[in-house]
């Protein structure tokens, strides 16, 4: 059954070849611009660390302070802060101050959708 589905998907693809029929001009039209490619690349850099991914999964439905994330993951608060700085640098999370506490949340809705999509695939 799986091979049948894979073959069906493969049949839907258009084959482009430098020694045959080339669709290079069509392909160029659909490629994202350089700014978009940098943005996409940064998302994957941010998701390249299991601790950051775990933090993001925790933030799917919650705003969480740094200390609470440290307790949840059972790692030092300094490690959590470091990972959050990276996520903030890539514009994926942000925080809101409430008195002396900073509550982090996922800023980029695409990240939330991506994580939910990956969770559904399991």
């Amino acid at each position: 059954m799986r091979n049948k589905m894979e073959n069906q998907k493969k049949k839907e693809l258009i084959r482009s070849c430098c020694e045959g029929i080339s669709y290079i001009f069509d392909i160029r039209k659909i490629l994202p611009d350089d700014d978009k490619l940098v943005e996409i690349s940064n998302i994957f850099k941010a998701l390249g660390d299991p601790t950051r991914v775990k933090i993001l999964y925790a933030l799917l439905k919650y705003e969480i302070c740094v200390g609470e994330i440290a307790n949840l993951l059972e790692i030092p608060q300094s490690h959590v802060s470091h990972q959050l700085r990276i996520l903030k640098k890539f514009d994926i999370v942000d925080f809101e101050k409430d008195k002396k506490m900073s509550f982090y949340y996922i800023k980029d809705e695409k990240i939330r959708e991506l994580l939910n999509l990956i969770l559904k695939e399991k």
Side-chain angles (χ1 to χ4, degrees), residues 92-106:
I92 292 173
V93 301
D94 207 352
F95 65 92
E96 187 174 296
K97 282 272 205 200
D98 187 0
K99 298 177 185 158
K100 67 176 190 160
M101 303 301 286
S102 295
F103 289 87
Y104 282 82
Y105 60 92
I106 296 174

Side-chain angles (χ1 to χ4, degrees), residues 11 14 16 21 44 46 48 53 55 66 85 88 98 114-115:
K11 285 181 183 178
I14 299 168
S16 182
I21 299 173
F44 284 103
V53 175
I55 289 169
V66 177
R85 271 193 302 278
K88 184 148 176 38
D98 187 0
L114 178 63
L115 293 171

